[in-house]
Amino acid sequence: MAKARIAVIGAGLMGHGIAQVFALAGHDVTIYDSIAASLDSAKARILTNLKDLGDDPSAVERVTPQGDLTVAVRDADYVVEAVLEDLALKQKLFVEIEQHVRPDTILASNTSVIPITDIMRGLDRRDRALGTHWWNPPFLVPLVEVIGTEWTAPGAIDQTMKLHSAVGKTPVHVKKDVPGFVGNRLQHALWREAISLVEHGICDAETVDTVIKAAFGRRLAVLGPLENADLVGTDLTLAIHKTVLPAIDSTPGPSPYLDKLVATGKLGFKSGEGFRKWTPEQQAALRAKVMQHLKKARESDA
């Protein structure tokens, strides 16, 4: 694919990683953030990542930090927003961005769960607006969910799919705009049942995590749930569902157990305790383990 001019809005955890992927693939990237400290450190963080992964460090030179939103987007072929999960903020940003881009510039939001329809409804040209949900860290997890709305033109979806495929991502087309899209709906359905098992005293949090990691988690990278259902047979799957689904948690809102954890300041790593207690050393070890696993997976994909 020809070199494109990419504008990334937000230089935080996701934004600088998205900028890194596009720059490494040869695209010119302008990155904007209203917080000077985040913007000023963006290139240094990207360079650290590139060196750590053994990628070409010169790619960072294709990234240009810009503190003026108008300047950041005015020449862009493709704009991706990666700011806080705040609907009002995202709506305001896109209305402003639309005033300074070409009519054919594609506008994408990297929201994790907010419906794209809600974010983009204030635009004049909603046919070029869509969602691209990247996963953290963007430079190691291959999936990008491409989400259209009722207004999104097929051409915008097609261009976005091709752009992300060309930079080494695995784009999938989410055909209906629903909260959480595909990945987070699946992930949090699992989390809801995991929390329920602990809440009702069936097992503790460590057991939940061990069961997943030592059982079906081992094969999830190569065997998706519907592949697995076909493998064992839809008849067996149906028989299992008749027994187990009526007993699975179907609470429509957040778990009271989770509410209580938050209310009592048990916020996970940031407070040292959530579902489990975490020392600083345990936190560092788990983060390192996850990153090492993702790096090995990236090498295997290559």
Side-chain angles (χ1 to χ4, degrees):
M1 176 173 282
K3 184 165 72 171
R5 290 165 295 188
I6 310 291
V8 178
I9 311 305
L13 180 67
M14 297 300 292
H16 86 281
I18 293 171
Q20 174 182 326
V21 172
F22 282 121
L24 185 62
H27 299 293
D28 292 326
V29 182
T30 301
I31 187 167
Y32 163 85
D33 201 297
S34 60
I35 300 173
S38 292
L39 191 62
D40 292 344
S41 65
K43 290 188 71 168
R45 284 179 281 140
I46 290 171
L47 182 59
T48 296
N49 292 338
L50 292 169
K51 289 180 176 178
D52 181 55
L53 294 169
D55 291 332
D56 183 3
S58 69
V60 74
E61 299 307 319
R62 287 189 283 274
V63 178
T64 303
Q66 175 54 251
D68 185 322
L69 180 63
T70 302
V71 176
V73 304
R74 67 186 177 192
D75 294 322
D77 302 305
Y78 179 91
V79 178
V80 55
E81 163 271 315
V83 302
L84 299 174
E85 286 289 271
D86 181 319
L87 175 59
L89 173 61
K90 292 177 186 290
Q91 290 172 328
K92 181 181 178 182
L93 266 175
F94 277 108
V95 168
E96 184 175 356
I97 289 168
E98 188 178 39
Q99 298 173 16
H100 304 291
V101 295
R102 301 190 315 268
D104 63 330
T105 299
I106 293 176
L107 306 181
S109 174
N110 180 56
T111 178
S112 300
V113 295
I114 301 173
I116 308 305
T117 300
D118 293 344
I119 295 172
M120 304 299 190
R121 68 171 67 256
L123 299 183
D124 292 327
R125 289 287 308 276
R126 293 176 292 190
D127 60 304
R128 41 80 173 274
L130 43 75
T132 52
H133 175 217
W134 296 57
W135 291 71
N136 184 41
F139 44 86
L140 286 178
V141 181
L143 184 69
V144 176
E145 294 174 281
V146 179
I147 310 103
T149 70
E150 61 181 292
W151 312 299
T152 309
I157 294 288
D158 184 59
Q159 283 183 255
T160 301
M161 295 284 286
K162 288 178 178 176
L163 173 65
H164 287 77
S165 181
V167 301
K169 307 308 291 183
T170 303
V172 295
H173 181 198
V174 180
K175 297 178 181 179
K176 289 187 178 180
D177 182 24
V178 294
F181 319 126
V182 175
N184 267 320
R185 290 173 78 95
L186 293 169
Q187 178 171 236
H188 287 276
L190 174 60
W191 289 17
R192 177 173 62 182
E193 184 60 24
I195 294 169
S196 178
L197 290 168
V198 176
E199 180 178 7
H200 292 96
I202 296 167
C203 63
D204 59 21
E206 184 175 1
T207 297
V208 169
D209 292 333
T210 298
V211 166
I212 293 170
K213 291 186 292 185
F216 63 87
R218 289 288 181 99
R219 61 190 183 218
L220 277 176
V222 295
L223 184 66
L226 300 184
E227 288 176 323
N228 199 357
D230 277 347
L231 187 154
V232 302
T234 55
D235 52 343
L236 176 57
T237 301
L238 176 61
I240 291 170
H241 281 194
K242 286 179 178 179
T243 300
V244 75
L245 290 189
I248 286 180
D249 192 300
S250 59
T251 305
S255 161
Y257 186 88
L258 178 58
D259 274 333
K260 185 178 179 180
L261 286 180
V262 175
T264 55
K266 296 179 179 179
L267 306 178
F269 277 22
K270 63 183 74 174
S271 68
E273 182 177 0
F275 292 100
R276 300 165 66 171
K277 292 183 179 180
W278 299 95
T279 65
E281 294 76 19
Q282 289 172 326
Q283 293 179 32
L286 184 56
R287 285 193 173 104
K289 186 176 183 179
V290 172
M291 289 298 288
Q292 189 60 33
H293 171 75
L294 292 175
K295 288 177 185 177
K296 287 183 178 178
R298 178 180 183 258
E299 291 169 3
S300 297
D301 289 342

